[in-house]
Amino acid sequence: MGNRLDLSHHINSRSRAGLGIFFCPGVAVPLLLLLSILFLQVIPAHAFSAETQVAQVSSTVESGAVKAVEGVEVKDKASELIKSYKAGKSKRLKKGPPAPALEAKDYPVVEGVSPRVTVWLAAQMHLWFAAFVLAVPIFVLILEVIGMVTGDSRYDRTAYEFIRVSITAYSITAITGGLLLLSLVVFYPALMGYLSSVFGSTMLGYGLLFFIESITLYIYYYGWGIMNDGGGLKRLHLFVGLLLNMSGTALMFIANAWVTFMMSPAGVDKMGAFQGGVFAAINNHLWSPMNLHRFVANIAYGGSIVGAYAAYQYLSSKSQASRAHYDWMGYTASLIAIGALLPIPFAGYWLTAEIYSYSQQMGITLMGGVFGWLFIIQAVLIGALFLAANYYLWCGMGRAEGGNRYTGYIKYIAIVLVLSFLVWFTPHNIVLTASETSALGGQYHPWLKALGLMPAKNTAVNIMVIFTYISFLLYRRSGKASTVPWASTATAVEVGLFGAAILNIIFLGVYYGYYTDNVYKVVSSIPQVMTTLTVILLSLCIEWLIFRRAERAGGFTWGRMPDRSQYALVLIAVSFTWLMGLMGFVRSAIRQNWHVYSIMKDNSPEAYTPSIAYAARVVSFGTIVFMALIIFIFWLSSLGKGEENKV
Amino acid sequence: MHKLLKLFLLILGIYVLLKLPGLLFGLPVPSSLILLYLFFAAIVTILVMTTSDASANELFSPIIALLEEPARVRQRNTIFVILPLFAALITYLAVRPDSEGVVGFRSVHPAPPAVIEAYGQTYDLGTLENPLRSLESSEPERFRSYVKEGGDIYFQNCFFCHGAKLDGRGHYAHALTPRPLTFQGSDTISQLQESYVFWRVVKGGPGLPKQAGPWASSMPAWEGILNEEEVWKVILFIYDYTGNKPRQWSH
């Protein structure tokens, strides 16, 4: 049982907690959440009962104040709706009330507290922690399986350490989730009442799933040592891990349904009255792209946070053995983060294209209008992510004796990356001084404007992805020497494949992006992505064939990374956090003055779009608070480790 | 050549290269972009030069020597005086009062409203389509005649600013700030649905949302001058003449 991790001392010390775990936030908060949701189910029964809704709509209709969509008189439709709602009620149909037309007085006031900033920060904090704790169990389970199959105890040990980091974060996730719910109920009761009239059943399901997730997480974590018998118990442990991941992912999908419903409502009529089919509301226009985007991004984010943890431990390690362990852990985590980072631009592009396709107004607000300027910051941050990831891989070549064979290629990779970044963040609409505007004769630069369009950016990002993969490939090769006689031929084939793929990507981007019908601009991104994925998969196969019986060229000496490479890992985590905050704000803010786009108007005193500077300050403040909490969690985890080591 | 000198020369070279379009062709690369380009070029160069300890030491050794070696006290003190003065000069140049005005955050194609009121009715811009567009396939001859009528309307009303070649270089264009938009190329009207162009023509500059600066547009609101059919015809013409197709999400 070489790979068995001895954690019995740890389990024994933890088992003293006994039933105490049921009183920790991870369990108590779900219970609170469940109770709150049940309470919420009561609110509409009184404050938003059918009679109240109808009375509200009736009164506003009489005063001519109801507007379904800005500037449109909908008196007749509202009257019809009230009749049909009453008729539906009499026939006991499961249709819901129309969305209430709110006024400023419908929003409770707490002296000195800004409802928007409170909900904003609570939601953002919850999302950061939730992304982390949902992602970690996914790759912990994969690492555990790899450890079991390969018999390499490092995987098991690292997987356990990952889940230990996330367990403290899980409590804070639950607490911030509770804060978010309470702040919503306090400040936006009508919105929550309406949403519960549509999603009530899913809210109850959410609470239940949260409970299942908590229980399975605690069994998974506390049972790690005792179930590590390499046989039936270990398999049972893996099954519990699977349940944990399934419940966590289902939770995210449900929450995504609520959020995307607010952007692209479905399953309701024009007045917002629920038509009775909850799945129609869940499966709204943006649900699937949002699910995919968040799922992949969460994995990358989780990997980046664990990478930052490994960097923290690496930098504070006092022994070579510890440095070696955390170097390996940081490498594994960064591999997860970088691997998941590669498809994110494509998932993001799909989501954005669907937003455009759902609403021209939301789409243009997002990237061409007021929030277009934030996309320059987004592009810079994504550039920072790719650069930091490549830098970490380049430094990693120093781990291997054979690394010198490949360091000469770094500058060429860097040149391609820089050129791609320049295209990536050159905006179409440029920030100009008055004299520049005058000299250029408008807002666009005649030479650079082509770089501001999506075909150029898709081309650039695909090339960035390919060259980041090439950095990884060279890093992997630096520790190995091939023994097959046809290795150089296979390498030449690989080079040819990369060349052909890059030419194809450039052709698709230039020809279909600029010389054909506009509709191909979006569509051509699909073969571009397929080209990138295909060439990476083919290269992986060739690499496997070349090196499957390869001798090690000195192998990798773990713990030999320069300290500055660890700061690259920290930079990845910080960039991800800030990026998620900024883009999360933009995604939410493109609804503008609607709680539920085109259906339920936000008439609170804060129903205006804040300035970009203000939004950036709030998000930056949140990022600092989150990173401070994460460092606190890292410190707490290291305390637990010290106790383990003493035993 | 020492690495630090290489880094300095590289950055200088890129800066000169980025300044050339402005100096030679009167088409300056915007300063906001130059700053971003230089920042990333410098960062990546430094990263490449610090992938190994030996390389990093070589890059930073002159700086460390300047800061630590007792024999270099005079050089050190000189640098310590020059650097803050240089920073002060840059700050002064950045904040000194001038006639340049503030940097504009103008979006040429801002988000449209969900609906507009014009010609006594309400248009939902999310679903609005050019009613004459379908004739392109069903009645091509009639469609061509509408395009021609659109051309006549264009030359009677729009070409003074947007130009005979629809390139934004009409007779009046040079007197306007910002200048009228060109319709040529694949990055302007081809990015937009016809409903968007309809809104921009009908409501003009005054109809722009606040964040797009309604005061920074010379486009009149054509609502009181052209009727609805004329607006749709002129839209047919500008797409046809420039060889562009309107953006359509239904494809």
Side-chain angles (χ1 to χ4, degrees):
Chain A
M1 216 73 74
N3 65 330
R4 182 170 176 174
L5 188 67
D6 183 13
L7 296 167
S8 54
H9 51 271
H10 183 68
I11 303 306
N12 289 340
S13 66
R14 297 284 181 181
S15 64
R16 281 195 293 273
L19 289 174
I21 64 163
F22 290 99
F23 297 99
C24 66
V27 174
V29 174
L31 283 174
L32 176 67
L33 183 76
L34 204 59
L35 287 173
S36 303
I37 290 166
L38 286 169
F39 174 69
L40 210 60
Q41 299 301 304
V42 178
I43 295 178
H46 300 285
F48 299 98
S49 63
E51 288 72 18
T52 315
Q53 290 284 342
V54 172
Q56 272 187 358
V57 176
S58 302
S59 65
T60 45
V61 166
E62 279 162 19
S63 64
V66 172
K67 313 257 180 192
V69 186
E70 197 173 289
V72 183
E73 190 66 51
V74 291
K75 189 172 175 176
D76 292 341
K77 285 182 184 171
S79 305
E80 283 171 20
L81 186 127
I82 292 162
K83 279 181 197 164
S84 68
Y85 176 65
K86 283 179 174 172
K89 190 167 172 267
S90 65
K91 290 176 189 172
R92 294 188 179 276
L93 292 177
K94 288 180 181 174
K95 289 186 177 179
L102 302 176
E103 295 173 23
K105 65 180 173 53
D106 294 318
Y107 296 87
V109 175
V110 176
E111 201 62 44
V113 180
S114 161
R116 175 162 68 184
V117 174
T118 307
V119 170
W120 184 352
L121 283 175
Q124 193 56 66
M125 212 58 71
H126 178 61
L127 277 167
W128 278 322
F129 277 107
F132 175 53
V133 301
L134 285 179
V136 170
I138 294 172
F139 49 79
V140 160
L141 184 68
I142 295 168
L143 285 176
E144 195 186 358
V145 171
I146 294 172
M148 189 177 168
V149 172
T150 61
D152 187 343
S153 64
R154 282 185 305 177
Y155 288 101
D156 210 68
R157 187 177 162 205
T158 300
Y160 179 73
E161 198 151 354
F162 282 1
I163 203 81
R164 187 178 57 195
V165 178
S166 78
I167 200 100
T168 316
Y170 189 76
S171 301
I172 300 182
T173 309
I175 292 165
T176 51
L179 275 177
L180 172 61
L181 177 67
L182 291 175
S183 55
L184 281 169
V185 170
V186 168
F187 291 116
Y188 299 95
L191 171 65
M192 292 304 286
Y194 172 66
L195 287 178
S196 72
S197 77
V198 178
F199 287 108
S201 55
T202 67
M203 287 175 170
L204 288 170
Y206 187 89
L208 191 65
L209 278 169
F210 202 174
F211 198 78
I212 294 170
E213 190 198 23
S214 302
I215 295 297
T216 49
L217 176 66
Y218 287 120
I219 295 172
Y220 191 61
Y221 173 63
Y222 290 103
W224 198 289
I226 208 162
M227 296 169 86
N228 199 2
D229 65 348
L233 275 176
K234 186 66 174 172
R235 285 194 195 92
L236 181 63
H237 188 251
L238 289 171
F239 179 69
V240 173
L242 186 67
L243 278 183
L244 164 64
N245 278 301
M246 286 169 67
S247 54
T249 306
L251 273 174
M252 184 182 71
F253 285 1
I254 291 176
N256 287 351
W258 305 337
V259 170
T260 51
F261 173 83
M262 290 169 72
M263 297 173 74
S264 57
V268 292
D269 64 13
K270 284 189 175 176
M271 293 298 289
F274 181 49
Q275 298 300 291
V278 74
F279 186 70
I282 291 172
N283 190 27
N284 59 69
H285 192 81
L286 298 176
W287 188 53
S288 294
M290 175 77 92
N291 284 341
L292 179 74
H293 189 51
R294 279 191 166 169
F295 183 75
V296 181
N298 283 356
I299 293 175
Y301 187 56
S304 77
I305 296 291
V306 175
Y309 168 77
Y312 172 88
Q313 296 291 0
Y314 181 89
L315 292 170
S316 57
S317 287
K318 293 193 172 52
S319 69
Q320 184 54 32
S322 175
R323 281 170 75 88
H325 171 65
Y326 286 110
D327 186 15
W328 188 80
M329 186 178 181
Y331 166 73
T332 310
S334 68
L335 206 62
I336 293 163
I338 297 167
L341 169 68
L342 300 185
I344 290 178
F346 312 130
Y349 187 55
W350 183 36
L351 174 61
T352 310
E354 291 302 332
I355 290 174
Y356 263 95
S357 107
Y358 180 76
S359 161
Q360 176 183 230
Q361 186 188 43
M362 279 203 296
I364 296 178
T365 304
L366 181 71
M367 288 187 76
V370 65
F371 296 125
W373 307 109
L374 275 176
F375 270 79
I376 300 176
I377 300 176
Q378 183 240 27
V380 170
L381 283 172
I382 290 177
L385 279 175
F386 272 94
L387 273 185
N390 276 280
Y391 183 63
Y392 184 76
L393 291 169
W394 298 338
C395 288
M397 289 182 192
R399 287 193 189 110
E401 296 301 332
N404 287 339
R405 290 175 295 164
Y406 299 104
T407 48
Y409 295 108
I410 290 174
K411 56 178 171 291
Y412 301 111
I413 295 175
I415 289 169
V416 176
L417 286 177
V418 167
L419 290 175
S420 301
F421 289 150
L422 300 193
V423 175
W424 176 247
F425 62 60
T426 298
H428 191 219
N429 225 12
I430 302 173
V431 179
L432 297 173
T433 63
S435 58
E436 287 165 350
T437 310
S438 175
L440 295 175
Q443 207 74 17
Y444 303 139
H445 192 288
W447 297 353
L448 298 175
K449 64 178 185 177
L451 304 183
L453 301 185
M454 279 318 290
K457 300 196 183 305
N458 284 332
T459 304
V461 82
N462 276 285
I463 293 174
M464 274 158 58
V465 167
I466 287 180
F467 274 82
T468 302
Y469 168 76
I470 291 174
S471 287
F472 169 71
L473 187 144
L474 295 182
Y475 163 76
R476 292 283 298 165
R477 282 188 164 210
S478 65
K480 294 174 179 176
S482 172
T483 53
V484 293
W486 44 268
S488 56
T489 310
T491 303
V493 170
E494 268 187 284
V495 172
L497 281 173
F498 281 125
I502 289 165
L503 283 177
N504 191 39
I505 287 165
I506 293 172
F507 169 75
L508 288 167
V510 173
Y511 180 69
Y512 288 105
Y514 299 93
Y515 295 100
T516 55
D517 192 332
N518 189 290
V519 77
Y520 298 115
K521 276 184 186 172
V522 178
V523 179
S524 67
S525 67
I526 297 168
Q528 280 186 318
V529 175
M530 294 313 293
T531 306
T532 302
L533 295 179
T534 306
V535 77
I536 288 175
L537 282 174
L538 286 174
S539 166
L540 283 171
C541 293
I542 294 172
E543 288 292 303
W544 179 76
L545 288 170
I546 297 176
F547 292 105
R548 64 183 164 155
R549 292 193 187 90
E551 291 172 357
R552 287 193 170 271
F556 294 110
T557 307
W558 298 102
R560 215 166 68 171
M561 287 285 270
D563 284 357
R564 58 186 173 278
S565 67
Q566 303 303 305
Y567 293 109
L569 291 181
V570 176
L571 177 68
I572 291 174
V574 175
S575 298
F576 256 127
T577 306
W578 208 27
L579 194 59
M580 282 171 68
L582 280 174
M583 290 299 103
F585 160 71
V586 171
R587 184 203 52 71
S588 177
I590 57 171
R591 283 181 284 118
Q592 298 193 44
N593 58 333
W594 297 98
H595 286 310
V596 179
Y597 187 68
S598 78
I599 279 179
M600 185 177 181
K601 211 164 196 176
D602 180 354
N603 276 321
S604 67
E606 290 184 310
Y608 59 89
T609 302
S611 71
I612 293 171
Y614 178 82
R617 279 200 295 273
V618 173
V619 172
S620 302
F621 172 75
T623 303
I624 292 167
V625 172
F626 175 78
M627 292 315 297
L629 285 169
I630 279 290
I631 292 169
F632 174 66
I633 288 168
F634 291 170
W635 176 73
L636 276 182
S637 295
S638 63
L639 283 185
K641 185 166 63 92
E643 188 185 318
E644 236 178 77
N645 291 340
K646 266 188 252 172
V647 176
Chain B
M1 195 190 295
H2 195 277
K3 283 198 166 168
L4 196 60
L5 185 61
K6 265 189 199 171
L7 174 66
F8 177 74
L9 289 177
L10 185 74
I11 302 303
L12 190 66
I14 296 171
Y15 179 73
V16 171
L17 201 67
L18 291 171
K19 280 289 184 184
L20 281 180
L23 295 171
L24 298 180
F25 306 103
L27 296 171
V29 176
S31 50
S32 60
L33 275 183
I34 290 182
L35 197 67
L36 269 177
Y37 289 169
L38 284 182
F39 175 75
F40 260 85
I43 291 288
V44 174
T45 311
I46 291 170
L47 291 182
V48 171
M49 288 180 170
T50 58
T51 49
S52 71
D53 283 339
S55 180
N57 289 339
E58 193 188 336
L59 176 65
F60 296 121
S61 61
I63 299 170
I64 292 167
L66 180 75
L67 292 173
E68 292 181 350
E69 282 182 17
R72 296 198 177 187
V73 64
R74 188 168 292 170
Q75 290 174 35
R76 184 159 57 237
N77 287 343
T78 309
I79 296 283
F80 282 176
V81 171
I82 290 174
L83 269 184
L85 284 176
F86 185 63
L89 176 68
I90 291 175
T91 310
Y92 171 73
L93 291 175
V95 301
R96 68 177 171 166
D98 58 18
S99 57
E100 180 71 31
V102 293
V103 172
F105 280 80
R106 182 172 178 268
S107 176
V108 179
H109 293 135
V115 294
I116 58 168
E117 298 273 5
Y119 302 115
Q121 55 181 308
T122 301
Y123 296 93
D124 180 346
L125 295 184
T127 54
L128 180 66
E129 291 183 353
N130 189 338
L132 309 178
R133 177 64 60 184
S134 61
L135 300 174
E136 190 171 12
S137 52
S138 60
E139 296 180 58
E141 282 188 16
R142 196 167 152 210
F143 180 79
R144 294 308 313 168
S145 73
Y146 286 153
V147 170
K148 188 175 176 307
E149 284 177 42
D152 293 342
I153 296 162
Y154 178 88
F155 281 96
Q156 285 160 11
N157 297 278
C158 319
F159 110 102
F160 302 102
C161 296
H162 287 284
K165 294 181 180 175
L166 284 70
D167 56 1
R169 292 175 178 269
H171 298 97
Y172 301 160
H174 297 276
L176 303 173
T177 301
R179 287 189 196 170
L181 185 69
T182 173
F183 301 132
Q184 297 286 358
S186 58
D187 64 323
T188 56
I189 53 169
S190 72
Q191 297 274 88
L192 305 167
Q193 296 178 38
E194 286 180 292
S195 62
Y196 187 100
V197 182
F198 180 80
W199 164 60
R200 292 291 286 117
V201 173
V202 167
K203 293 296 178 185
L208 285 169
K210 270 186 190 170
Q211 67 265 27
W215 55 88
S217 170
S218 310
M219 177 79 169
W222 291 93
E223 189 177 1
I225 304 162
L226 301 177
N227 64 37
E228 184 190 351
E229 195 176 312
E230 287 171 327
V231 172
W232 286 125
K233 283 176 181 170
V234 85
I235 290 172
L236 288 184
F237 169 73
I238 61 172
Y239 276 101
D240 184 79
Y241 185 90
T242 56
N244 282 308
K245 296 271 185 192
R247 177 165 244 164
Q248 288 182 339
W249 286 106
S250 54
H251 288 205

